[in-house]
Amino acid sequence: MSNNRLRIAIQKSGRLADESIQLLKTCGIKFTFSKQTLIAHSDNFDIDMLRVRDDDIPGLVMDGVVDLGIVGENVLVETQLTRQKLSSPAEYQKIKVLNFGECRLSIATPSEQEYTGIESLNNARIATSYPYLLKQYMNSKGLTVQDCELKGSVEVAPRAGLADAICDLVSTGATLAANGLVEQDVIFHSKACLIQSATITDEYKLNLIEKILSRIDGVMQANE
Ligand code: PRP
Ligand code: ZN
Ligand code: MG
Protein backbone atom coordinates (compact mmCIF):
# COMPACT_ATOMS: atom_id res chain seq x y z
CA MET A 1 0.00 0.00 0.00
CA SER A 2 2.81 2.36 0.86
CA ASN A 3 4.24 4.31 -2.06
CA ASN A 4 5.80 7.67 -2.76
CA ARG A 5 2.61 9.46 -3.69
CA LEU A 6 1.61 12.26 -1.39
CA ARG A 7 -1.91 11.96 0.03
CA ILE A 8 -3.99 15.03 0.76
CA ALA A 9 -7.35 14.77 2.53
CA ILE A 10 -9.99 17.41 1.82
CA GLN A 11 -13.62 17.83 2.83
CA LYS A 12 -16.07 15.96 0.60
CA SER A 13 -18.92 18.41 0.97
CA GLY A 14 -19.50 21.41 3.18
CA ARG A 15 -18.10 24.85 3.81
CA LEU A 16 -14.47 24.07 2.94
CA ALA A 17 -14.96 21.65 0.03
CA ASP A 18 -15.01 23.98 -2.98
CA GLU A 19 -12.30 26.32 -1.77
CA SER A 20 -10.00 23.43 -0.85
CA ILE A 21 -10.21 22.04 -4.39
CA GLN A 22 -9.86 25.55 -5.81
CA LEU A 23 -6.70 26.20 -3.78
CA LEU A 24 -5.00 22.98 -4.90
CA LYS A 25 -5.93 23.61 -8.54
CA THR A 26 -4.69 27.19 -8.39
CA CYS A 27 -1.40 25.75 -7.12
CA GLY A 28 -1.15 23.96 -10.45
CA ILE A 29 -2.08 20.47 -9.27
CA LYS A 30 -4.19 18.90 -12.00
CA PHE A 31 -6.89 16.42 -10.96
CA THR A 32 -10.56 15.66 -11.47
CA PHE A 33 -13.06 14.01 -9.17
CA SER A 34 -15.91 12.16 -10.77
CA LYS A 35 -19.18 12.27 -8.86
CA GLN A 36 -18.94 9.47 -6.33
CA THR A 37 -15.20 8.88 -6.18
CA LEU A 38 -13.27 9.13 -2.94
CA ILE A 39 -9.86 9.50 -4.53
CA ALA A 40 -8.40 11.48 -7.44
CA HIS A 41 -4.91 10.98 -8.84
CA SER A 42 -3.09 14.04 -10.11
CA ASP A 43 -1.73 13.76 -13.65
CA ASN A 44 1.16 16.16 -13.19
CA PHE A 45 2.27 15.52 -9.58
CA ASP A 46 2.71 12.38 -7.48
CA ILE A 47 -0.27 13.44 -5.42
CA ASP A 48 -3.56 11.73 -4.58
CA MET A 49 -6.51 13.70 -3.25
CA LEU A 50 -8.96 12.03 -0.86
CA ARG A 51 -12.46 13.38 -0.24
CA VAL A 52 -13.74 12.53 3.24
CA ARG A 53 -15.89 13.97 6.05
CA ASP A 54 -14.18 16.97 7.62
CA ASP A 55 -14.41 15.36 11.05
CA ASP A 56 -12.23 12.47 9.83
CA ILE A 57 -9.42 14.63 8.43
CA PRO A 58 -7.46 15.41 11.64
CA GLY A 59 -7.44 11.76 12.70
CA LEU A 60 -6.26 10.58 9.29
CA VAL A 61 -3.33 13.02 9.53
CA MET A 62 -2.56 12.18 13.18
CA ASP A 63 -2.54 8.45 12.36
CA GLY A 64 -0.27 9.08 9.34
CA VAL A 65 -2.83 7.57 6.95
CA VAL A 66 -2.59 10.73 4.84
CA ASP A 67 0.28 13.22 4.65
CA LEU A 68 -1.64 16.49 4.47
CA GLY A 69 -5.15 17.68 5.26
CA ILE A 70 -7.16 20.84 4.80
CA VAL A 71 -9.51 21.27 7.74
CA GLY A 72 -11.07 23.86 10.03
CA GLU A 73 -9.19 24.66 13.23
CA ASN A 74 -12.42 23.96 15.12
CA VAL A 75 -12.54 20.31 14.02
CA LEU A 76 -8.78 20.04 14.41
CA VAL A 77 -8.61 21.19 18.03
CA GLU A 78 -11.72 19.21 19.04
CA THR A 79 -10.17 16.03 17.61
CA GLN A 80 -6.87 16.76 19.34
CA LEU A 81 -8.57 17.21 22.72
CA THR A 82 -10.64 14.04 22.22
CA ARG A 83 -7.58 11.99 21.27
CA GLN A 84 -5.49 13.32 24.13
CA LYS A 85 -8.22 12.15 26.50
CA LEU A 86 -8.08 8.69 24.92
CA SER A 87 -4.26 8.64 24.75
CA SER A 88 -4.48 8.14 20.96
CA PRO A 89 -1.93 9.76 18.60
CA ALA A 90 -2.71 13.50 18.49
CA GLU A 91 0.46 14.92 16.91
CA TYR A 92 0.41 17.04 13.73
CA GLN A 93 2.06 20.13 12.32
CA LYS A 94 -0.02 23.11 11.31
CA ILE A 95 1.93 24.35 8.30
CA LYS A 96 -0.38 27.09 7.06
CA VAL A 97 -3.44 29.01 8.19
CA LEU A 98 -5.47 29.57 5.02
CA ASN A 99 -7.56 32.55 3.98
CA PHE A 100 -10.97 30.89 3.88
CA GLY A 101 -13.38 28.97 6.08
CA GLU A 102 -13.52 31.68 8.70
CA CYS A 103 -16.11 31.06 11.42
CA ARG A 104 -16.52 31.15 15.18
CA LEU A 105 -17.70 28.66 17.74
CA SER A 106 -20.27 30.40 19.91
CA ILE A 107 -22.70 29.79 22.68
CA ALA A 108 -26.24 30.81 21.74
CA THR A 109 -29.45 30.86 23.73
CA PRO A 110 -33.16 31.02 22.79
CA SER A 111 -34.21 34.62 22.15
CA GLU A 112 -37.05 34.45 24.69
CA GLN A 113 -34.69 33.32 27.44
CA GLU A 114 -33.04 35.95 29.62
CA TYR A 115 -29.24 35.89 29.47
CA THR A 116 -27.14 37.62 32.10
CA GLY A 117 -23.73 36.21 31.21
CA ILE A 118 -22.01 32.86 30.91
CA GLU A 119 -22.36 32.26 34.68
CA SER A 120 -26.11 31.92 34.13
CA LEU A 121 -25.34 28.75 32.13
CA ASN A 122 -23.42 27.09 34.95
CA ASN A 123 -24.25 23.38 34.92
CA ALA A 124 -26.72 23.91 32.06
CA ARG A 125 -27.25 21.36 29.33
CA ILE A 126 -25.66 22.73 26.17
CA ALA A 127 -26.04 20.93 22.84
CA THR A 128 -22.88 20.79 20.73
CA SER A 129 -20.72 18.81 18.32
CA TYR A 130 -17.68 20.23 20.16
CA PRO A 131 -17.96 18.87 23.73
CA TYR A 132 -14.26 19.20 24.56
CA LEU A 133 -13.87 22.79 23.34
CA LEU A 134 -17.04 23.70 25.23
CA LYS A 135 -15.94 21.95 28.42
CA GLN A 136 -12.52 23.60 28.22
CA TYR A 137 -14.13 27.03 27.92
CA MET A 138 -16.64 26.49 30.72
CA ASN A 139 -13.96 25.08 33.03
CA SER A 140 -11.70 28.06 32.29
CA LYS A 141 -14.50 30.24 33.71
CA GLY A 142 -14.82 28.00 36.75
CA LEU A 143 -18.10 26.59 35.42
CA THR A 144 -19.36 23.14 34.54
CA VAL A 145 -21.58 21.90 31.74
CA GLN A 146 -23.84 18.93 31.15
CA ASP A 147 -23.26 16.94 27.99
CA CYS A 148 -25.65 16.92 25.04
CA GLU A 149 -23.56 15.79 22.09
CA LEU A 150 -25.14 16.01 18.65
CA LYS A 151 -23.36 15.58 15.31
CA GLY A 152 -26.02 17.62 13.54
CA SER A 153 -29.28 19.53 14.06
CA VAL A 154 -27.67 21.20 17.06
CA GLU A 155 -29.66 24.38 16.45
CA VAL A 156 -33.02 22.68 17.04
CA ALA A 157 -32.06 21.18 20.41
CA PRO A 158 -33.39 23.98 22.68
CA ARG A 159 -36.76 24.11 20.93
CA ALA A 160 -37.00 20.34 21.03
CA GLY A 161 -36.51 20.53 24.77
CA LEU A 162 -33.18 18.67 24.66
CA ALA A 163 -30.97 21.49 25.89
CA ASP A 164 -30.94 24.97 27.48
CA ALA A 165 -28.49 26.43 24.96
CA ILE A 166 -26.23 25.44 22.09
CA CYS A 167 -22.56 25.80 21.22
CA ASP A 168 -22.14 25.71 17.45
CA LEU A 169 -20.31 27.21 14.51
CA VAL A 170 -21.51 30.57 13.31
CA SER A 171 -20.55 32.01 9.98
CA THR A 172 -23.22 34.37 8.64
CA GLY A 173 -25.52 33.88 11.63
CA ALA A 174 -28.40 32.81 9.36
CA THR A 175 -28.80 29.40 11.03
CA LEU A 176 -29.08 30.94 14.51
CA ALA A 177 -31.57 33.57 13.34
CA ALA A 178 -33.71 30.97 11.58
CA ASN A 179 -33.94 29.01 14.81
CA GLY A 180 -34.68 31.86 17.19
CA LEU A 181 -31.26 31.76 18.82
CA VAL A 182 -29.06 34.66 19.91
CA GLU A 183 -25.25 34.48 19.80
CA GLN A 184 -23.90 35.24 23.29
CA ASP A 185 -20.28 34.22 23.82
CA VAL A 186 -17.65 33.48 21.18
CA ILE A 187 -15.49 30.69 22.55
CA PHE A 188 -13.20 29.92 19.58
CA HIS A 189 -12.19 31.60 16.30
CA SER A 190 -11.47 29.31 13.39
CA LYS A 191 -10.10 29.29 9.86
CA ALA A 192 -9.23 26.56 7.42
CA CYS A 193 -5.65 25.36 7.79
CA LEU A 194 -3.21 22.97 6.16
CA ILE A 195 -1.89 20.28 8.48
CA GLN A 196 0.89 17.77 7.99
CA SER A 197 1.53 14.37 9.51
CA ALA A 198 4.25 14.47 12.16
CA THR A 199 5.69 11.15 10.98
CA ILE A 200 6.81 11.80 7.38
CA THR A 201 10.47 10.95 6.81
CA ASP A 202 10.43 10.36 3.04
CA GLU A 203 12.60 13.11 1.49
CA TYR A 204 10.71 13.03 -1.79
CA LYS A 205 7.40 13.69 -0.02
CA LEU A 206 8.90 16.41 2.16
CA ASN A 207 10.22 18.18 -0.95
CA LEU A 208 6.84 17.92 -2.61
CA ILE A 209 5.22 19.47 0.49
CA GLU A 210 7.76 22.33 0.37
CA LYS A 211 6.84 22.95 -3.24
CA ILE A 212 3.08 22.97 -2.56
CA LEU A 213 3.56 25.25 0.42
CA SER A 214 5.52 27.82 -1.56
CA ARG A 215 2.85 27.77 -4.27
CA ILE A 216 0.14 28.30 -1.64
CA ASP A 217 2.13 31.27 -0.32
CA GLY A 218 2.23 32.65 -3.85
CA VAL A 219 -1.51 32.18 -4.35
CA MET A 220 -2.33 33.77 -1.00
CA GLN A 221 -0.07 36.76 -1.66
CA ALA A 222 -1.65 37.29 -5.07
CA ASN A 223 -5.09 37.30 -3.41
CA GLU A 224 -4.18 39.84 -0.76
C1 PRP B 1 -22.11 25.06 10.55
C2 PRP B 1 -23.07 25.06 11.72
C3 PRP B 1 -24.33 25.64 11.16
C4 PRP B 1 -23.84 26.54 10.06
C5 PRP B 1 -23.80 27.99 10.49
O1 PRP B 1 -22.15 23.83 9.92
O2 PRP B 1 -23.27 23.76 12.24
O3 PRP B 1 -25.13 24.61 10.63
O4 PRP B 1 -22.51 26.13 9.71
O5 PRP B 1 -23.54 28.86 9.40
P1 PRP B 1 -24.30 30.24 9.27
O6 PRP B 1 -24.00 31.06 10.48
O7 PRP B 1 -23.71 30.88 8.03
O8 PRP B 1 -25.76 29.97 9.12
P2 PRP B 1 -20.98 23.39 8.90
O9 PRP B 1 -21.60 23.15 7.58
O10 PRP B 1 -19.86 24.34 8.95
O11 PRP B 1 -20.34 22.10 9.49
P3 PRP B 1 -20.91 20.63 9.68
O12 PRP B 1 -21.83 20.34 8.57
O13 PRP B 1 -19.65 19.78 9.67
O14 PRP B 1 -21.57 20.71 11.01
ZN1 ZN C 1 -18.64 18.03 9.96
MG1 MG D 1 -23.92 22.11 10.28
Side-chain angles (χ1 to χ4, degrees):
M1 195 187 86
S2 180
N3 60 28
N4 260 10
R5 291 180 72 83
L6 192 77
R7 295 178 170 197
I8 308 178
I10 57 173
Q11 187 184 30
K12 185 169 164 58
S13 61
R15 285 182 312 117
L16 308 181
D18 290 346
E19 279 166 297
S20 299
I21 288 182
Q22 194 54 49
L23 176 68
L24 296 173
K25 290 199 163 165
T26 313
C27 286
I29 305 169
K30 290 188 185 145
F31 60 96
T32 30
F33 277 111
S34 46
K35 256 204 187 96
Q36 281 308 320
T37 52
L38 176 72
I39 191 154
H41 310 282
S42 170
D43 310 323
N44 62 336
F45 280 101
D46 286 328
I47 299 177
D48 294 335
M49 258 68 53
L50 265 88
R51 283 198 296 193
V52 295
R53 279 195 54 165
D54 62 343
D55 317 64
D56 292 333
I57 294 173
L60 290 171
V61 172
M62 291 166 186
D63 287 334
V65 175
V66 301
D67 304 297
L68 298 179
I70 296 177
V71 70
E73 290 167 313
N74 52 312
V75 171
L76 178 61
V77 175
E78 182 66 23
T79 306
Q80 187 186 21
L81 293 171
T82 309
R83 283 181 159 241
Q84 280 167 348
K85 197 85 183 170
L86 299 168
S87 300
S88 305
E91 303 295 309
Y92 65 91
Q93 288 165 354
K94 189 192 283 183
I95 56 175
K96 196 84 204 164
V97 178
L98 303 168
N99 54 1
F100 61 89
E102 198 163 349
C103 65
R104 50 198 190 270
L105 184 64
S106 295
I107 292 174
T109 55
S111 52
E112 66 278 5
Q113 189 175 300
E114 195 198 357
Y115 185 80
T116 53
I118 191 68
E119 298 76 21
S120 63
L121 288 177
N122 190 23
N123 209 30
R125 200 171 287 283
I126 304 181
T128 190
S129 313
Y130 300 87
Y132 284 99
L133 277 166
L134 172 61
K135 191 174 185 315
Q136 192 178 56
Y137 179 79
M138 293 300 276
N139 291 350
S140 78
K141 301 280 174 193
L143 306 171
T144 59
V145 63
Q146 292 195 57
D147 285 333
C148 177
E149 191 175 343
L150 292 171
K151 298 276 185 216
S153 304
V154 173
E155 61 277 359
V156 303
R159 258 204 214 148
L162 302 177
D164 307 305
I166 70 162
C167 171
D168 201 11
L169 295 182
V170 184
S171 171
T172 60
T175 303
L176 291 188
N179 289 280
L181 296 162
V182 180
E183 184 175 8
Q184 306 289 7
D185 294 72
V186 178
I187 74 164
F188 189 81
H189 287 275
S190 178
K191 275 187 174 182
C193 63
L194 180 67
I195 55 171
Q196 177 181 331
S197 158
T199 60
I200 308 172
T201 50
D202 186 316
E203 279 299 322
Y204 180 74
K205 280 188 179 180
L206 291 170
N207 283 331
L208 202 46
I209 292 170
E210 277 301 313
K211 193 165 192 174
I212 295 167
L213 202 51
S214 83
R215 290 191 180 200
I216 287 176
D217 282 336
V219 171
M220 283 176 66
Q221 269 161 26
N223 287 345
E224 257 169 21

